[in-house]
Amino acid sequence: MLVAGTAAAGLTVIAPAASWAAGRQGTSGAPSDSTTAGGRRDPFTLGVASGDPFPDGFVLWTRLAPEPLAEDGMGGMPARSVRVQWELATDERFRRVVRRGAEHARPELGHSVHVELSGLRSGTEYFYRFRTGGHHSPVGRTRTAPERGVVGAGLSMCFASCAQYEHGYFTAYRRLAEEEPDLVLHLGDYQYEHRADSYVAPGGNVRDHDGPETETLANYRQRHAQYKTDPDLQVAHAVAPWLVVWDDHEIDNNWAADVPERPDIPQPDFAARRIAAAQAYYENMPLRRSSVPSGVDIRLYRSIRWGGLANFHMLDTRQYRDDQACEDGWKDCDAAGEPSRSITGAEQEAWLLDGFRRSRARWDVLGQQVFFAQRENAAGANSMDAWDGYSASRDRVTRGWVDAGVRNAVVLTGDVHTHWANELKLDYDDPASRSIGTELVCSSITSGGDGADSDPSDNESVRLNPHIKFYNAQRGYVRTRITRDELRADFRVVPQVSRTGAPVHTRASFVVPDREATLHEV
């Protein structure tokens, strides 16, 4: 129900801060205390979020969990629906409330709330909050996309991936929030499936997962809740709308459609595991109704238009792919080039190619999971989990955007826990051939532990693959500024994640000029 009106009596007023990240949502690295004044349990321990911005609306999200780590996955909530009020305003003091209403947090959806709004002003900043039972959520900031065709002054966008809770503190999320971007893309591995100490970072883990390896709905709900209690992640969600897609660890390492990581180890209930993981993912993300799961399937590939400036084509390279060729790993594998192989599946590929043909944007951005450019090692091997393991699929996609006359194609990638900058080719065997797009790969938020700096020219992949222009193995994210004339990418890094409070700095910056498809380090 959407009801216009003015600020409701009794809803908390939050004073504005100099920075959205500074001093918000608890101390970095430490989950906030869930006890409120009077000893009552706060149901908003998982924070708030927004996502999938359209020109006239977006999704507002929260999930009630006064006991977020409860083993049954229900967060300490009763087995009944709970009414939750929400408000939307154009100022963070909520003096100009433009919408208010109520939803029910239902046990069958893990007491999550998804408010899908429409009819709002395009290109506008909004603030939102929730209330139930005398408790008040933190305040979130979000925005609508520009009107169709509007290029505007530009877009500030950050993207990130791979946040293994045990491997480090989520400082990079807080530093990302301090950038105050207009939009955040998360490209997968939002949470990890392992039981405590079964996946150990170099130097050891700094904190532990609760619960067993995630296989049931209760397991996945508990794991998502544990990640969401992190204050650095909460402030990143609260600062801007997110576009999210998953990768492998939201279910099982390197899974491919109905095939688990280790098919040699029987998993007769892998379909049930996929159903549980998809359900929990929807419950814990700011996704639209179009992403409500149906059995094992959850529709995550979709396009978001940012005016006339950019189209974001969000891909799912896990649910519909063929199994990795030659039993996965790094291989010199003829089967990887078979024309019938697909990493997207036929339906998603057709949808993407149609999106290229329909696009009138200055920038077409693919938000996806695994390494897109060719990357060959000294032994002549490639990663079978990446697009190299599905080279015909990659060729169809790249030729698709070339044939459609896409003005600027940019691929955004996560997964590999390292920063990369690549120029994309139709013929990687001819280094002098023209580039037809660019790829920006973000490192991990924490996965792999502290990482280390190095000279990119010392990296084997940079030496052997002339189209690869940059490499770095520190933790961090990528900050971009997209305008009508160029895309600028700043590879942001933190020196360590084994301790809280690390500063952030830019390790390298590249500019992609309009219509050039080449990387210029600046």
Side-chain angles (χ1 to χ4, degrees), residues 480-503:
T480 70
R481 179 71 184 173
I482 305 173
T483 68
R484 65 175 61 241
D485 298 321
E486 67 179 31
L487 182 152
R488 179 187 172 112
D490 301 318
F491 290 88
R492 304 284 275 167
V493 298
V494 294
Q496 74 275 328
V497 294
S498 56
R499 297 189 299 275
T500 62

Side-chain angles (χ1 to χ4, degrees), residues 60 110 115 129 148 155 179 208 215 231 246 272 323 343 348 351 377-378 431 439 447 449 504 519:
L60 305 180
V115 182
R129 60 188 179 184
R148 183 170 185 167
L155 167 67
E179 313 277 8
D208 290 331
E215 294 184 353
W246 66 8
D323 193 15
I343 197 171
Q348 183 178 193
W351 163 85
N377 67 16
E439 179 181 20
S447 301
V504 67
L519 293 160

Side-chain angles (χ1 to χ4, degrees), residues 113-136:
V113 176
H114 296 74
V115 182
E116 194 167 323
L117 293 174
S118 61
L120 301 174
R121 291 180 57 187
S122 62
T124 300
E125 181 181 69
Y126 290 95
F127 299 86
Y128 62 96
R129 60 188 179 184
F130 298 89
R131 175 189 178 189
T132 189
H135 300 279
H136 312 96

Side-chain angles (χ1 to χ4, degrees), residues 458-494:
D458 292 336
N459 180 265
E460 178 185 77
S461 292
V462 174
R463 294 196 309 270
L464 295 176
N465 300 271
H467 55 280
I468 296 180
K469 307 300 182 182
F470 176 69
Y471 161 85
N472 173 266
Q474 293 171 286
R475 307 284 77 85
Y477 55 92
V478 178
R479 178 182 67 190
T480 70
R481 179 71 184 173
I482 305 173
T483 68
R484 65 175 61 241
D485 298 321
E486 67 179 31
L487 182 152
R488 179 187 172 112
D490 301 318
F491 290 88
R492 304 284 275 167
V493 298
V494 294

Side-chain angles (χ1 to χ4, degrees), residues 385-399:
D385 188 55
W387 287 78
D388 274 340
Y390 306 80
S391 57
S393 190
R394 176 176 60 203
D395 186 64
R396 290 191 296 271
V397 169
T398 52
R399 290 185 184 279

Side-chain angles (χ1 to χ4, degrees), residues 52 59 103 114-117 282 287-293:
D52 279 19
V59 177
E103 298 284 341
H114 296 74
V115 182
E116 194 167 323
L117 293 174
Y282 172 77
L287 290 164
R288 292 181 176 269
R289 286 186 291 271
S290 55
S291 293
V292 172

